[in-house]
Amino acid sequence: PPAVAARLARGMRQRSHAADPELSAREQEVLTLLGKGMTNKEIAQRLVISEPTVRAHVYHILQKLHLENRTQAALYVAKRDQ
């Protein structure tokens, strides 16, 4: 029925804007900041963590999302948040 299809479509759109379930909460934060163009140093300062920790998070994000580099990750965020 059309009402059910509309509700399903709304739910799918909401989920596409939701957090990536395979990423931890901290990885989500790092990915969001990475998508804003922040450097590792800026991310570390914002989240009050070390730069090596940020690098580790970025590495895990790229691995989990099957991305090649930070640019692809930033584009991924832009597309996800459309």
Side-chain angles (χ1 to χ4, degrees):
V4 174
R7 184 189 293 173
L8 181 60
R10 273 193 308 276
M12 291 177 71
R13 277 194 302 275
Q14 289 171 347
R15 265 186 250 133
S16 71
H17 291 243
D20 300 292
E22 60 270 6
L23 300 180
S24 71
R26 183 59 94 180
E27 289 168 343
Q28 290 286 347
E29 291 176 305
V30 171
L31 179 60
T32 298
L33 296 174
L34 195 151
K36 292 179 179 183
M38 295 178 80
T39 66
N40 286 351
K41 183 176 183 176
E42 292 168 331
I43 293 169
Q45 290 172 343
R46 171 77 63 89
L47 299 179
V48 191
I49 58 177
S50 70
E51 285 186 65
T53 300
V54 173
R55 281 194 300 272
H57 286 311
V58 171
Y59 173 80
H60 291 125
I61 290 164
L62 296 177
Q63 293 296 307
K64 289 179 179 181
L65 298 179
H66 308 287
L67 301 171
E68 298 279 328
N69 54 48
R70 295 172 67 92
T71 302
Q72 285 185 354
L75 291 172
Y76 173 88
V77 171
K79 186 175 180 180
R80 177 193 72 186
D81 293 345
Q82 281 182 345

